[in-house]
Amino acid sequence: MGMFSMRKPRAFHHEYIYVDERKEKLKKIEDAAKRDLGMLPPKEFKPEDIRGKFVEGTTYLKRRKESGRKPLAYGTIFVAIAILLYILKFLVTGELTF
């Protein structure tokens, strides 16, 4: 069904080998605790810090992101409805015309 949409190239996904996510998470927790105690200056606001927080907060969006499912394209739905209408016309009239 590539009539209505262009295929997207394969996305680049690189997994780091020598990164310890647990250690980075502990470092963030330590920094946040030090900021709360006043040992470090307050962190300045960056819009990149809040990106993706809504998805993390909802369970159904988190599951959808992890599974990699994509919603149906409107072109696919349009073609399916057109085919169903054509079949319905054939069943009602009995003529096979375009």
Side-chain angles (χ1 to χ4, degrees):
M1 292 282 161
M3 188 183 313
F4 295 104
S5 63
M6 297 288 292
R7 288 187 62 195
K8 292 183 182 177
R10 205 169 11 139
F12 179 75
H13 179 71
H14 178 72
E15 292 186 20
Y16 295 105
I17 299 172
Y18 301 110
V19 175
D20 190 6
E21 293 177 2
R22 182 177 174 270
K23 189 181 277 188
E24 289 179 0
K25 194 172 187 179
L26 286 173
K27 178 71 174 156
K28 284 183 183 179
I29 292 171
E30 286 177 7
D31 288 344
K34 286 180 181 179
R35 279 195 182 82
D36 288 343
L37 293 174
M39 298 171 75
L40 291 176
K43 189 175 180 183
E44 62 183 53
F45 174 74
K46 293 180 184 175
E48 292 85 22
D49 294 340
I50 61 171
R51 184 169 292 148
K53 295 296 181 188
F54 181 73
V55 174
E56 292 173 3
T58 55
T59 56
Y60 68 95
L61 287 177
K62 191 185 304 183
R63 274 185 278 151
R64 175 187 246 175
K65 185 177 180 183
E66 289 172 357
S67 70
R69 286 186 295 160
K70 305 270 188 210
L72 286 176
Y74 288 112
T76 307
I77 294 171
F78 176 73
V79 169
I81 290 173
I83 290 172
L84 290 174
L85 288 173
Y86 184 72
I87 291 172
L88 180 66
K89 179 186 170 215
F90 170 71
L91 292 174
V92 171
T93 61
E95 297 177 3
L96 208 84
T97 59
F98 290 101

